[in-house]
Amino acid sequence: MFTLVNGLTTGMAVFLVAAGLTLVFGIMRILNFAHGAFFMIGAYVASTLVGSAPRSVLALVAAAVVAALVVGVLGIVVQRFVLRRIQHVDEHYMLIATFAVMLVCVGFVKLIWGLEFLSVDPPPGIDTGVEIFSLFVPSFSLFIISSGVVVFLVLDFVIHRAWTGKMITAIARDGWMAELLGINVPAGIMAAVGGSFALAGLAGGLLLPNQTLSPALGDTFLLLAFITVVIGGLGNVRGAFIAAILLGLIDGLNTMLLPAYPGVAVYVGMVAFLLLWPNGILGESRL
């Protein structure tokens, strides 16, 4: 039970970060190296709003939503001036450009918030724990798990059930035909990319009490988020959700069975998954 709870907590934390990364790849086929940096900016914005001790869970969630809006606007700026210009060029240029954006974001964070390490306590209500089957489970772990599930359900509904999601899917699969049918393709892409960046900001706010803030924060989850996107199937949100859970459980078992070799099982698992499913668990997808 302890391993299960820890694994699900890690998995949902990774999914919260990977959701936006999957979305932007599904729309523009760009592996965004700057995604972790925008996650970091979201965390810093939320910490500025709530301080070191949020007054309530609602205050933390509200700060995360504001951080999502701020990062979403920044994402639209990046899409307008960077991503749109490299949309139809070689993938190597995309990686270089987003890496450059990441460096700019890190420099921006150092300039505004400095180099000091900051920490934020969980708000009242999720700062203790509950007993489940004689196991003491931190309330904040349950908060992270429920947040990841809610974000997945909302994202899955928007993409596969809502009219907006169907338009975005049409743009991602055949932008030329979507434009012939009267859909404003540039505006749709801008909104969807802004939404993917907003998800990074939301994750930064929701996971705020789960980490120490520093200019290197973006690297903490970025690698696991990339692994999740690849294993789940590039651009496949459902695949990313399943992959995040599996990686979290593998990491939990690694911590319990091989504590002297932290993280090794994740990479072994990644190799095994890719040997079994080279295109990802649910395959590559244009949303």
Side-chain angles (χ1 to χ4, degrees), residues 22-29 87 154-179 181 183-185 187-193 234-238 284-287:
T22 303
L23 188 60
V24 75
F25 185 88
I27 297 165
M28 297 187 69
R29 318 312 279 176
Q87 185 175 357
V154 172
L155 197 57
D156 189 72
F157 175 81
V158 170
I159 292 175
H160 297 104
R161 295 288 184 268
W163 179 248
T164 303
K166 292 179 180 179
M167 286 195 297
I168 296 300
T169 302
I171 292 172
R173 293 183 177 179
D174 194 335
W176 180 77
M177 180 58 70
E179 193 165 21
L181 295 174
I183 298 175
N184 189 334
V185 172
I189 291 177
M190 184 174 294
V193 172
L234 294 171
N236 197 315
V237 175
R238 291 174 177 173
E284 187 174 334
S285 173
R286 280 272 188 182
L287 294 181

Side-chain angles (χ1 to χ4, degrees), residues 189-241:
I189 291 177
M190 184 174 294
V193 172
S196 69
F197 278 82
L199 285 172
L202 180 68
L206 293 176
L207 298 176
L208 182 59
N210 194 43
Q211 64 236 320
T212 300
L213 296 183
S214 74
L217 175 63
D219 302 332
T220 306
F221 288 99
L222 183 61
L223 181 58
L224 284 176
F226 268 115
I227 294 174
T228 298
V229 170
V230 171
I231 291 177
L234 294 171
N236 197 315
V237 175
R238 291 174 177 173
F241 183 74

Side-chain angles (χ1 to χ4, degrees), residues 37-268:
F38 285 95
F39 163 77
M40 172 182 62
I41 291 175
Y44 271 103
V45 170
S47 71
T48 301
L49 295 174
V50 300
S52 60
R55 295 183 179 180
S56 64
V57 177
L58 183 60
L60 178 65
V61 174
V65 171
V66 173
L69 294 175
V70 172
V71 175
V73 171
L74 293 176
I76 291 174
V77 173
V78 171
Q79 195 278 333
R80 173 67 177 80
F81 294 101
V82 180
L83 299 183
R84 192 174 73 169
R85 298 174 182 271
I86 61 173
Q87 185 175 357
H88 302 293
V89 301
D90 187 79
E91 289 84 357
H92 299 89
Y93 291 100
M94 298 179 186
L95 295 176
I96 293 171
T98 55
F99 183 76
V101 172
M102 179 192 72
L103 296 178
V104 171
C105 291
V106 172
F108 175 78
V109 166
K110 291 179 180 178
L111 181 66
I112 300 299
W113 286 282
L115 300 174
E116 294 81 8
F117 287 77
L118 306 174
S119 62
V120 176
D121 297 326
I126 56 173
D127 57 344
T128 56
V130 296
E131 189 172 330
I132 302 176
F133 299 114
S134 301
L135 176 70
F136 182 82
V137 178
S139 299
F140 189 67
S141 294
L142 299 178
F143 173 75
I144 292 177
I145 293 171
S146 59
S147 297
V149 172
V150 169
V151 168
F152 167 70
L153 292 176
V154 172
L155 197 57
D156 189 72
F157 175 81
V158 170
I159 292 175
H160 297 104
R161 295 288 184 268
W163 179 248
T164 303
K166 292 179 180 179
M167 286 195 297
I168 296 300
T169 302
I171 292 172
R173 293 183 177 179
D174 194 335
W176 180 77
M177 180 58 70
E179 193 165 21
L180 284 181
L181 295 174
I183 298 175
N184 189 334
V185 172
I189 291 177
M190 184 174 294
V193 172
S196 69
F197 278 82
L199 285 172
L202 180 68
L206 293 176
L207 298 176
L208 182 59
N210 194 43
Q211 64 236 320
T212 300
L213 296 183
S214 74
L217 175 63
D219 302 332
T220 306
F221 288 99
L222 183 61
L223 181 58
L224 284 176
F226 268 115
I227 294 174
T228 298
V229 170
V230 171
I231 291 177
L234 294 171
N236 197 315
V237 175
R238 291 174 177 173
F241 183 74
I242 296 172
I245 293 175
L246 292 174
L247 284 179
L249 294 176
I250 290 172
D251 186 64
L253 288 171
N254 189 164
T255 303
M256 183 180 69
L257 300 177
L258 298 170
Y261 303 96
V264 171
V266 171
Y267 300 104
V268 174

